[in-house]
Amino acid sequence: MIRTDWSMEEARIIHALPFPDLMHRAQDIHRHYFDPTVIETASLLSIKTGGCPEDCGYCSQSAHHDTGVKATKLMDVDDVLKAARRAKTSGAQRFCMGAAWRSPKNRDMDKLCAMVKGVREMGLETCMTLGMLSPEQVAQLKAAGLDFYNHNIDTSPEYYREIATTRTMEDRLETVEHVRKGGIKVCCGGILGMGEKLEDRISMLVTLATLPAHPDSVPINLWNEIDKTPVQQRAQPVDPFALVRTIALARILMPQSVVRLSAGRTGMSEELQALCFLAGANSIFVGDVLLTTGNPAAWQDQSMIDRLGMRFAPANMAQCTEAAE
Ligand code: SAM
Ligand code: DTB
Ligand code: SF4
């Protein structure tokens, strides 16, 4: 049964189960809704890097922190399509385009829609993450054929104001609502390792699991350390078992959502990643860069998946939205 009425107390109790019991429960649910041997793949491209007006304390691309990331203009459509073709050749299912914006300018919308259309015509699922969207912008991207929109809540409502001051959790949830109501699939998750308490991790997942509908995909990022950001002062390493517990809780609270083991895999052993898959993670980013930081090489991921006797999902255009058909 898909529930959207989880309480903090229920989530705390599940999270605190003995590890074997937590894993058993997560696996039972995972196997009911998914083939546990299959991992989805998404490839990321930063289509507009750096110089962002927001002050998110974890991010290399905020103009508020001197991280050394150079600001660029929005890429040309042709260059984005070339990168998408490379991602398709290397086996990615979904192509996710990210921009370091508070929100897109209306003058950029035609170019963004052309990117969506072109990528989709290649047979890739499309995803964008561009900051806040108005309902009109959602409608334009939907008409161009956008399948998914990524907009993370990043942390708990309680910890959010320690992490960013130029936007609020309510702003984030408002865009998520516009995206859902506009018929684009929602990708919404957060980051661990920014100095949050265990209670914040649980609260972040309960916030997602009590939305009117669960996000279609839930990325769980480990904070990728960025020098000279405010989060560097407060960051705490995440106990590997705590990461696995967070993934298991996400799987149990949101049984039908795809849970993506996102940033931070370069610092994880293959054994830890395998535990995350056993706990219910069933998607990763592939390719050796995320937006501005590294990711394991394609051959390493292929070798890991082969040795686990698992497989990457084939491109599945049946999951795409109807708009571009
Ligand atoms: N500007 C848009 C926004 O904020 O929604 C899109 C790009 S932003 C980089 C997308 C997401 O990447 C953030 O919401 C955050 O969850 C994640 N992220 C950014 N920097 C990160 C880091 N250093 N480590 C892990 N995740 C990070
Ligand atoms: C998400 O949750 N993780 C991706 C994607 N959504 C856009 C981004 C990870 C960014 C990691 C830091 C960087 O490469 O700059
Ligand atoms: Fe800008 Fe997004 Fe980075 Fe925040 S997370 S500074 S909005 S690019």
Side-chain angles (χ1 to χ4, degrees), residues 269-324:
S269 68
E270 292 184 326
E271 296 88 324
L272 174 56
Q273 294 180 61
L275 271 182
C276 292
F277 300 145
L278 292 179
N282 54 353
S283 175
I284 57 173
F285 284 117
V286 289
D288 50 14
V289 276
L290 295 169
L291 294 172
T292 67
T293 63
N295 197 48
W299 68 265
Q300 282 175 313
D301 284 336
Q302 189 67 60
S303 156
M304 172 175 69
I305 292 300
D306 287 347
R307 283 178 294 127
L308 289 169
M310 295 171 71
R311 63 195 166 90
F312 288 128
N316 178 9
M317 288 306 284
Q319 287 181 353
C320 292
T321 49
E322 286 150 26

Coordinates of all heavy atoms in Angstrom, one line a residue, residues 269-324:
S269 N 33.1 2.5 -1.1 CA 33.6 1.2 -1.6 C 32.5 0.5 -2.4 O 31.3 0.9 -2.3 CB 34.0 0.3 -0.5 OG 32.8 -0.1 0.2
E270 N 32.9 -0.4 -3.3 CA 31.9 -1.2 -4.0 C 31.0 -2.0 -3.1 O 29.8 -2.2 -3.3 CB 32.6 -2.1 -5.0 CG 33.2 -1.3 -6.1 CD 33.8 -2.2 -7.2 OE1 34.3 -3.3 -6.9 OE2 33.8 -1.8 -8.4
E271 N 31.6 -2.4 -1.9 CA 30.8 -3.2 -1.0 C 29.7 -2.3 -0.4 O 28.6 -2.8 -0.2 CB 31.7 -3.7 0.2 CG 32.8 -4.7 -0.2 CD 34.1 -4.0 -0.7 OE1 34.0 -3.0 -1.3 OE2 35.1 -4.6 -0.4
L272 N 30.0 -1.1 -0.1 CA 29.0 -0.2 0.4 C 27.9 0.1 -0.6 O 26.7 0.1 -0.3 CB 29.7 1.2 0.9 CG 28.7 2.2 1.4 CD1 27.8 1.7 2.5 CD2 29.4 3.5 1.8
Q273 N 28.3 0.3 -1.9 CA 27.3 0.5 -2.9 C 26.4 -0.7 -3.0 O 25.2 -0.5 -3.2 CB 28.0 0.9 -4.2 CG 28.8 2.2 -4.2 CD 29.4 2.5 -5.5 OE1 28.8 2.6 -6.5 NE2 30.8 2.6 -5.5
A274 N 27.0 -1.9 -2.9 CA 26.2 -3.1 -3.0 C 25.2 -3.2 -1.9 O 24.0 -3.5 -2.1 CB 27.1 -4.3 -3.0
L275 N 25.6 -2.8 -0.7 CA 24.7 -2.7 0.5 C 23.5 -1.7 0.2 O 22.4 -2.0 0.5 CB 25.4 -2.3 1.7 CG 26.0 -3.4 2.6 CD1 26.6 -2.8 3.9 CD2 24.9 -4.5 3.0
C276 N 23.9 -0.6 -0.5 CA 22.8 0.4 -0.8 C 21.8 -0.2 -1.8 O 20.6 0.0 -1.7 CB 23.5 1.7 -1.4 SG 24.4 2.6 -0.1
F277 N 22.3 -1.0 -2.8 CA 21.4 -1.6 -3.7 C 20.5 -2.7 -3.0 O 19.4 -2.8 -3.3 CB 22.2 -2.3 -4.8 CG 23.1 -1.4 -5.7 CD1 24.3 -1.9 -6.2 CD2 22.7 -0.1 -5.9 CE1 25.1 -1.0 -7.0 CE2 23.5 0.7 -6.7 CZ 24.7 0.3 -7.2
L278 N 21.1 -3.4 -2.0 CA 20.3 -4.4 -1.3 C 19.3 -3.7 -0.4 O 18.2 -4.2 -0.2 CB 21.2 -5.2 -0.4 CG 22.2 -6.2 -1.1 CD1 23.1 -6.9 0.0 CD2 21.4 -7.2 -1.9
A279 N 19.6 -2.4 0.0 CA 18.6 -1.7 0.8 C 17.5 -1.0 0.0 O 16.6 -0.5 0.5 CB 19.4 -0.6 1.6
G280 N 17.7 -1.1 -1.4 CA 16.6 -0.5 -2.2 C 17.0 0.6 -3.2 O 16.1 1.1 -3.9
A281 N 18.3 1.0 -3.2 CA 18.7 1.9 -4.2 C 18.6 1.2 -5.6 O 19.1 0.1 -5.7 CB 20.1 2.5 -3.9
N282 N 18.1 1.9 -6.6 CA 18.0 1.2 -7.9 C 18.3 2.2 -9.0 O 17.8 2.0 -10.1 CB 16.7 0.5 -8.1 CG 15.5 1.3 -7.8 OD1 15.6 2.5 -7.4 ND2 14.3 0.7 -8.1
S283 N 19.1 3.2 -8.8 CA 19.5 4.1 -9.9 C 20.9 4.7 -9.5 O 21.1 4.9 -8.3 CB 18.5 5.1 -10.1 OG 18.9 6.1 -11.0
I284 N 21.7 5.0 -10.5 CA 22.9 5.8 -10.2 C 23.1 6.8 -11.4 O 22.6 6.6 -12.5 CB 24.2 4.9 -10.1 CG1 24.4 4.0 -11.4 CG2 24.2 4.0 -8.9 CD1 25.7 3.2 -11.5
F285 N 24.0 7.8 -11.1 CA 24.5 8.6 -12.2 C 25.7 7.9 -12.8 O 26.6 7.4 -12.1 CB 24.9 10.0 -11.7 CG 23.8 10.9 -11.4 CD1 23.5 11.3 -10.1 CD2 22.9 11.3 -12.4 CE1 22.4 12.2 -9.9 CE2 21.8 12.1 -12.2 CZ 21.6 12.6 -10.9
V286 N 25.8 7.8 -14.1 CA 26.9 7.2 -14.8 C 27.7 8.3 -15.6 O 27.1 9.3 -16.0 CB 26.5 6.1 -15.8 CG1 26.0 4.9 -15.0 CG2 25.4 6.6 -16.8
G287 N 28.9 8.0 -15.8 CA 29.8 9.0 -16.5 C 30.7 9.6 -15.4 O 30.4 9.7 -14.3
D288 N 31.9 10.1 -15.9 CA 33.0 10.4 -14.9 C 32.8 11.8 -14.3 O 33.6 12.2 -13.4 CB 34.4 10.1 -15.4 CG 34.6 10.7 -16.8 OD1 33.8 11.5 -17.2 OD2 35.6 10.3 -17.4
V289 N 31.8 12.6 -14.7 CA 31.6 13.8 -14.0 C 30.1 14.0 -13.7 O 29.2 13.5 -14.4 CB 32.0 15.1 -14.8 CG1 33.4 15.5 -14.6 CG2 31.6 15.1 -16.2
L290 N 29.8 14.6 -12.5 CA 28.4 15.0 -12.2 C 28.2 16.3 -12.8 O 28.0 16.5 -14.0 CB 28.3 14.9 -10.7 CG 28.4 13.5 -10.1 CD1 28.5 13.5 -8.6 CD2 27.3 12.6 -10.5
L291 N 28.1 17.4 -12.0 CA 28.0 18.8 -12.5 C 29.4 19.4 -12.5 O 30.0 19.7 -13.6 CB 27.0 19.6 -11.8 CG 25.6 19.1 -11.9 CD1 24.7 19.9 -10.9 CD2 25.1 19.3 -13.3
T292 N 30.0 19.5 -11.3 CA 31.4 20.1 -11.3 C 32.3 19.1 -10.5 O 33.5 19.4 -10.3 CB 31.4 21.4 -10.5 OG1 31.0 21.2 -9.1 CG2 30.4 22.4 -11.1
T293 N 31.8 18.0 -10.1 CA 32.7 17.1 -9.3 C 32.7 15.7 -10.0 O 31.9 15.4 -10.9 CB 32.1 16.9 -7.8 OG1 30.8 16.4 -7.9 CG2 32.1 18.3 -7.1
G294 N 33.6 14.8 -9.5 CA 33.8 13.5 -10.2 C 32.8 12.5 -9.8 O 32.1 12.5 -8.8
N295 N 32.8 11.4 -10.6 CA 31.9 10.2 -10.4 C 32.8 9.0 -10.9 O 33.7 9.2 -11.7 CB 30.7 10.4 -11.3 CG 29.5 9.5 -11.0 OD1 29.2 9.4 -9.8 ND2 28.9 8.9 -12.0
P296 N 32.5 7.8 -10.4 CA 33.3 6.7 -10.9 C 33.3 6.6 -12.5 O 32.3 6.9 -13.1 CB 32.6 5.5 -10.3 CG 31.9 6.0 -9.1 CD 31.5 7.4 -9.4
A297 N 34.4 6.0 -13.0 CA 34.4 5.8 -14.5 C 33.4 4.8 -14.9 O 33.1 3.9 -14.1 CB 35.8 5.4 -14.9
A298 N 33.0 4.9 -16.2 CA 31.9 3.9 -16.7 C 32.4 2.5 -16.5 O 31.6 1.6 -16.1 CB 31.6 4.2 -18.1
W299 N 33.7 2.2 -16.8 CA 34.2 0.8 -16.7 C 34.1 0.3 -15.3 O 33.8 -0.9 -15.1 CB 35.6 0.7 -17.3 CG 36.7 1.3 -16.5 CD1 37.2 2.6 -16.7 CD2 37.4 0.8 -15.4 NE1 38.1 2.9 -15.8 CE2 38.3 1.8 -15.0 CE3 37.3 -0.5 -14.7 CZ2 39.1 1.5 -13.9 CZ3 38.2 -0.7 -13.6 CH2 39.1 0.3 -13.2
Q300 N 34.3 1.2 -14.3 CA 34.3 0.7 -12.9 C 32.9 0.3 -12.6 O 32.7 -0.7 -11.9 CB 34.7 1.9 -12.0 CG 36.2 2.1 -11.9 CD 36.6 3.3 -11.1 OE1 36.0 4.3 -11.2 NE2 37.6 3.1 -10.2
D301 N 31.9 1.2 -13.0 CA 30.5 0.8 -12.7 C 30.1 -0.4 -13.4 O 29.4 -1.3 -12.8 CB 29.6 2.0 -13.1 CG 29.7 3.2 -12.1 OD1 30.1 2.9 -10.9 OD2 29.4 4.3 -12.4
Q302 N 30.5 -0.6 -14.6 CA 30.1 -1.8 -15.4 C 30.7 -3.0 -14.7 O 30.0 -4.0 -14.5 CB 30.6 -1.7 -16.8 CG 30.1 -2.8 -17.7 CD 28.6 -2.7 -18.0 OE1 28.1 -1.7 -18.5 NE2 27.9 -3.7 -17.6
S303 N 31.9 -2.9 -14.3 CA 32.6 -4.0 -13.6 C 31.9 -4.4 -12.3 O 31.6 -5.6 -12.0 CB 34.1 -3.7 -13.4 OG 34.6 -4.5 -12.3
M304 N 31.5 -3.4 -11.5 CA 30.8 -3.6 -10.3 C 29.5 -4.3 -10.5 O 29.2 -5.3 -9.9 CB 30.6 -2.3 -9.5 CG 29.7 -2.4 -8.3 SD 29.5 -0.8 -7.4 CE 28.6 0.2 -8.6
I305 N 28.7 -3.8 -11.5 CA 27.4 -4.4 -11.8 C 27.5 -5.8 -12.3 O 26.8 -6.7 -11.9 CB 26.6 -3.4 -12.7 CG1 26.3 -2.1 -12.1 CG2 25.4 -4.1 -13.3 CD1 25.4 -2.2 -10.8
D306 N 28.5 -6.0 -13.2 CA 28.8 -7.4 -13.7 C 29.1 -8.3 -12.6 O 28.6 -9.5 -12.5 CB 29.9 -7.4 -14.7 CG 29.5 -6.7 -16.0 OD1 28.3 -6.5 -16.2 OD2 30.5 -6.4 -16.8
R307 N 30.0 -7.9 -11.7 CA 30.4 -8.8 -10.6 C 29.3 -9.1 -9.6 O 29.3 -10.1 -8.9 CB 31.7 -8.3 -9.9 CG 33.0 -8.5 -10.8 CD 34.2 -8.0 -10.2 NE 34.1 -6.5 -10.2 CZ 34.3 -5.8 -9.1 NH1 34.6 -6.4 -7.9 NH2 34.2 -4.5 -9.1
L308 N 28.3 -8.2 -9.6 CA 27.2 -8.4 -8.7 C 26.1 -9.3 -9.4 O 25.1 -9.6 -8.8 CB 26.6 -7.1 -8.2 CG 27.4 -6.3 -7.2 CD1 26.9 -4.9 -7.1 CD2 27.5 -7.0 -5.9
G309 N 26.3 -9.6 -10.7 CA 25.3 -10.3 -11.4 C 24.1 -9.5 -11.6 O 23.0 -10.1 -11.8
M310 N 24.2 -8.2 -11.6 CA 23.1 -7.3 -11.9 C 23.2 -6.7 -13.3 O 24.1 -7.1 -14.0 CB 23.1 -6.2 -10.8 CG 22.9 -6.8 -9.4 SD 23.1 -5.6 -8.1 CE 21.7 -4.5 -8.3
R311 N 22.2 -5.9 -13.6 CA 22.3 -5.3 -15.0 C 21.8 -3.9 -15.0 O 20.9 -3.5 -14.1 CB 21.7 -6.1 -16.0 CG 20.2 -6.3 -15.8 CD 19.6 -7.5 -16.7 NE 18.3 -7.8 -16.2 CZ 17.2 -7.3 -16.7 NH1 17.2 -6.4 -17.7 NH2 16.0 -7.6 -16.2
F312 N 22.2 -3.1 -15.9 CA 21.7 -1.7 -16.1 C 20.4 -1.8 -16.9 O 20.3 -2.7 -17.8 CB 22.7 -0.8 -16.8 CG 23.9 -0.4 -16.0 CD1 25.2 -0.6 -16.4 CD2 23.7 0.1 -14.7 CE1 26.2 -0.2 -15.7 CE2 24.8 0.5 -13.9 CZ 26.0 0.3 -14.4
A313 N 19.4 -1.0 -16.6 CA 18.1 -1.0 -17.3 C 18.3 -0.5 -18.7 O 19.1 0.4 -18.9 CB 17.1 -0.1 -16.6
P314 N 17.7 -1.2 -19.7 CA 17.7 -0.6 -21.1 C 16.9 0.6 -21.1 O 16.0 0.9 -20.3 CB 17.1 -1.8 -21.9 CG 16.2 -2.5 -20.9 CD 16.8 -2.3 -19.5
A315 N 17.2 1.5 -22.2 CA 16.4 2.7 -22.4 C 14.9 2.2 -22.5 O 14.6 1.2 -23.1 CB 16.8 3.4 -23.6
N316 N 14.0 2.9 -21.8 CA 12.6 2.5 -21.8 C 11.7 3.7 -22.1 O 11.2 4.4 -21.2 CB 12.3 1.9 -20.5 CG 10.8 1.5 -20.4 OD1 10.1 1.5 -21.4 ND2 10.3 1.1 -19.2
M317 N 11.5 4.0 -23.4 CA 10.8 5.2 -23.8 C 9.3 5.1 -23.4 O 8.6 6.0 -23.4 CB 11.0 5.5 -25.3 CG 12.3 6.0 -25.6 SD 12.8 7.4 -24.6 CE 11.8 8.7 -25.4
A318 N 8.8 3.8 -23.1 CA 7.4 3.7 -22.7 C 7.2 4.5 -21.4 O 6.0 4.9 -21.2 CB 7.1 2.2 -22.4
Q319 N 8.2 4.8 -20.6 CA 8.0 5.6 -19.4 C 7.9 7.1 -19.6 O 7.6 7.8 -18.7 CB 9.2 5.4 -18.5 CG 9.3 4.0 -17.8 CD 10.5 3.9 -16.9 OE1 11.3 4.8 -16.9 NE2 10.5 2.8 -16.2
C320 N 8.2 7.5 -20.9 CA 8.3 8.9 -21.1 C 6.9 9.5 -21.2 O 5.9 8.8 -21.4 CB 9.0 9.2 -22.4 SG 10.7 8.8 -22.3
T321 N 6.8 10.9 -21.1 CA 5.5 11.5 -21.1 C 5.0 11.5 -22.5 O 5.7 11.2 -23.5 CB 5.7 13.0 -20.7 OG1 6.8 13.5 -21.5 CG2 6.0 13.1 -19.2
E322 N 3.7 11.8 -22.7 CA 3.1 11.7 -24.0 C 3.3 12.9 -24.9 O 3.2 12.8 -26.1 CB 1.6 11.5 -23.8 CG 1.2 10.2 -23.3 CD -0.1 10.3 -22.5 OE1 -0.9 11.2 -22.7 OE2 -0.3 9.4 -21.6
A323 N 3.8 14.0 -24.2 CA 3.8 15.3 -25.0 C 4.5 15.2 -26.3 O 4.0 15.8 -27.3 CB 4.5 16.3 -24.1
A324 N 5.6 14.6 -26.4 CA 6.4 14.6 -27.6 C 6.1 13.5 -28.6 O 6.7 13.3 -29.6 CB 7.9 14.6 -27.3

